[in-house]
């Protein structure tokens, strides 16, 4: 059951992002919204917060998947 939920979630994201990319409007893709949320264009603190969060999560997730711990 959980695999089906994750597949559905991924498919819903892919459809939403595909529509956002196809219509070429501003501020509707995931990337544009993340940039706005963290104010990466105007704030060094926002850029730093995003970088720490991204690399922290990526590092944890890689270890989690590869070692099956945490």
């Amino acid at each position: 059951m959980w695999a089906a939920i994750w597949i559905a979630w991924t498919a819903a994201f892919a459809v939403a992002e595909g529509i956002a990319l196809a219509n070429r409007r501003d501020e509707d893709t995931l990337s544009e919204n993340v940039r706005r949320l963290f104010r990466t264009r105007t704030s060094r603190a926002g850029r730093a917060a995003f970088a720490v969060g991204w690399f922290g999560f990526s590092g944890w997730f890689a270890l989690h998947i590869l070692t099956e711990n945490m």
Side-chain angles (χ1 to χ4, degrees):
M1 179 174 117
W2 282 104
I5 291 170
W6 283 111
I7 290 168
W9 180 84
T10 302
F13 169 77
V15 168
E17 188 74 3
I19 291 168
L21 289 169
N23 72 26
R24 298 186 159 284
R25 292 186 194 143
D26 287 339
E27 299 182 359
D28 58 354
T29 65
L30 176 62
S31 297
E32 291 166 331
N33 279 285
V34 169
R35 286 183 192 113
R36 187 176 65 218
L37 175 68
F38 284 95
R39 298 184 179 111
T40 59
R41 292 183 178 145
T42 60
S43 169
R44 284 188 176 184
R47 291 171 66 98
F50 174 77
V52 167
W54 182 262
F55 288 114
F57 173 76
S58 297
W60 167 81
F61 195 63
L63 290 171
H64 173 68
I65 295 299
L66 296 173
T67 65
E68 298 185 30
N69 289 325
M70 302 155 55

